[in-house]
Amino acid sequence: MKFGKVDNPLLVDFKLPPIKDKTFEILEKYSKDDHFEVFIGGAKWSKLELKGLFPPKTKDELTYYSRQFNSIEMNGTFYRSPTKEQVITWKNKTPKDFKFFPKIPQSISHYGRLFNVREKLTAFLDAITLFEEKLGMTFLQLHDNYSPNDFERLKDFVESFPKGYPLAIEVRNEKWFQNKAIFDEYCELLQKNKMANIIVDTPGRRDMLHMQLTSPDLFVRFVSAYHPLDYQRLDEWIERIKELKQAGLKNVYFFIHQSLSGKEELYATYFTEKLNKELGLQLRVPRLYEENLLF
């Protein structure tokens, strides 16, 4: 993900802002339920994206990836809506506890701008429903220039979105975050329709760290700064997850955007190991191929 990339990460204030009070009000409704799950993944399962993760001559990248991670943020579906046959094939290659988080195609979000897209959306949902129990949550990312001026169209899309399909939404235009009344109205729309409000932690767009949940789900898209500061950033997220869990958080969906060009450490390894330790979890820990040979 190039979105929000900066030339000098040292000039960025990476400190996470406080969690909004409204988030705690929402989570309080779920505090008596002991359910808690964490899904950690990358954006792609490609050898080109994650050099060093795969053994030499790996033929089936998804099969191997899904034994390392327990989920995938499917950016690939943004560029091309999958066929039913593709979905069934992907589903059958992965372990029982694996989850897919497919991104709504750009033909709906960017080119269609949510207008007259019912047929395309139906085809997309008909396909991804075949993930069955392995469907985590689909997500909609709006274009950078999709502003609050288009709120009514977004509202129509949200309110008519078929029930039974969990949905998370990411808005990017700066105007959504500049006016509290506008952002509150947007969050209220998601809360009313039980949809998740995506948080993006990327170096160049700190306004997208709104820290306002609209459901008992924390959906984070974490973009690497390719700097040791990333470890501190992940540490902060672990502390926030602990705080939110205590308040009633039910699900964590945390996707780390990090390309690997060689033998750099996999941030997901660090993050998963520490989260396991801090929360007493037993998530499988992804490791680079050479590290796996030691276990």
Side-chain angles (χ1 to χ4, degrees):
M1 182 196 282
K2 295 181 180 179
F3 178 76
K5 197 172 183 179
V6 297
D7 293 329
N8 188 355
L10 291 174
L11 300 179
V12 177
D13 179 5
F14 281 110
K15 185 175 178 58
L16 291 179
I19 299 166
K20 298 286 181 63
D21 290 341
K22 184 66 175 178
T23 292
F24 291 111
E25 292 177 19
I26 291 170
L27 293 181
E28 186 178 6
K29 303 173 185 177
Y30 304 91
S31 58
K32 294 182 181 180
D33 180 1
D34 292 335
H35 171 89
F36 182 71
E37 287 189 289
V38 177
F39 293 90
I40 299 170
K44 301 175 183 178
W45 62 67
S46 166
K47 284 190 288 187
L48 293 176
E49 183 79 9
L50 297 171
K51 291 180 180 178
L53 177 71
F54 300 91
K57 300 181 181 179
T58 299
K59 293 183 178 179
D60 196 316
E61 296 166 349
L62 175 57
T63 296
Y64 188 80
Y65 171 95
S66 65
R67 270 65 180 176
Q68 298 292 307
F69 295 85
N70 68 354
S71 62
I72 180 72
E73 180 196 290
M74 297 187 72
N75 268 317
T77 57
F78 177 71
Y79 300 101
R80 185 176 181 180
S81 188
T83 65
K84 293 180 178 181
E85 291 74 19
Q86 283 177 314
V87 169
I88 293 171
T89 297
W90 291 334
K91 175 181 180 291
N92 290 338
K93 287 182 176 182
T94 56
K96 291 182 179 180
D97 64 345
F98 192 83
K99 299 283 188 182
F100 293 87
F101 292 76
K103 190 175 183 178
I104 289 178
Q106 62 183 348
S107 60
I108 295 170
S109 60
H110 286 46
Y111 300 133
R113 297 181 68 81
L114 309 185
F115 184 69
N116 287 337
V117 295
R118 183 181 298 274
E119 185 176 336
K120 293 177 181 177
L121 179 63
T122 298
F124 173 71
L125 295 177
D126 282 350
I128 67 169
T129 194
L130 297 176
F131 280 127
E132 298 180 311
E133 75 283 357
K134 293 183 182 180
L135 176 61
M137 179 176 284
T138 187
F139 70 102
L140 170 71
Q141 176 196 91
L142 292 171
H143 197 287
D144 299 10
N145 62 20
Y146 197 100
S147 75
N149 291 335
D150 301 304
F151 181 80
E152 287 303 316
R153 188 180 299 177
L154 174 60
K155 182 179 179 182
D156 289 343
F157 180 87
V158 166
E159 293 181 340
S160 63
F161 194 81
K163 305 304 179 186
Y165 292 93
L167 178 67
I169 299 180
E170 173 188 321
V171 290
R172 288 186 161 191
N173 188 273
E174 291 90 342
K175 291 181 181 179
W176 291 103
F177 310 103
Q178 291 171 348
N179 185 307
K180 183 179 183 301
I182 288 174
F183 187 69
D184 286 349
E185 185 178 10
Y186 163 69
C187 291
E188 185 177 344
L189 173 68
L190 297 190
Q191 182 186 350
K192 181 180 178 181
N193 289 276
K194 300 179 180 179
M195 295 177 180
N197 194 9
I198 293 176
I199 296 174
V200 179
D201 186 349
T202 188
R205 284 294 306 275
R206 308 311 286 166
D207 55 337
M208 295 183 73
L209 278 166
H210 50 74
M211 308 307 280
Q212 172 64 68
L213 303 192
T214 52
S215 69
D217 312 294
L218 174 66
F219 194 128
V220 178
R221 305 181 75 215
F222 178 95
V223 183
S224 169
Y226 297 96
H227 190 279
L229 285 167
D230 285 335
Y231 294 105
Q232 298 174 31
R233 296 170 64 198
L234 292 170
D235 285 345
E236 272 204 75
W237 270 114
I238 289 172
E239 292 304 311
R240 293 307 171 87
I241 289 170
K242 288 165 62 177
E243 183 180 3
L244 290 167
K245 179 179 182 294
Q246 187 173 6
L249 185 69
K250 301 295 109 187
N251 301 293
V252 176
Y253 309 132
F254 201 98
F255 300 103
I256 300 176
H257 288 246
Q258 178 195 13
S259 296
L260 295 176
S261 59
K263 297 182 180 180
E264 309 99 313
E265 182 177 2
L266 192 65
Y267 288 144
T269 301
Y270 175 84
F271 185 70
T272 306
E273 285 183 332
K274 193 157 188 179
L275 203 58
N276 278 343
K277 180 179 178 181
E278 294 290 329
L279 292 179
L281 304 176
Q282 293 183 325
L283 301 172
R284 57 178 169 274
V285 179
R287 299 188 187 280
L288 300 179
Y289 169 66
E290 291 186 358
E291 292 175 342
N292 264 323
L293 295 178
L294 303 175
F295 289 82

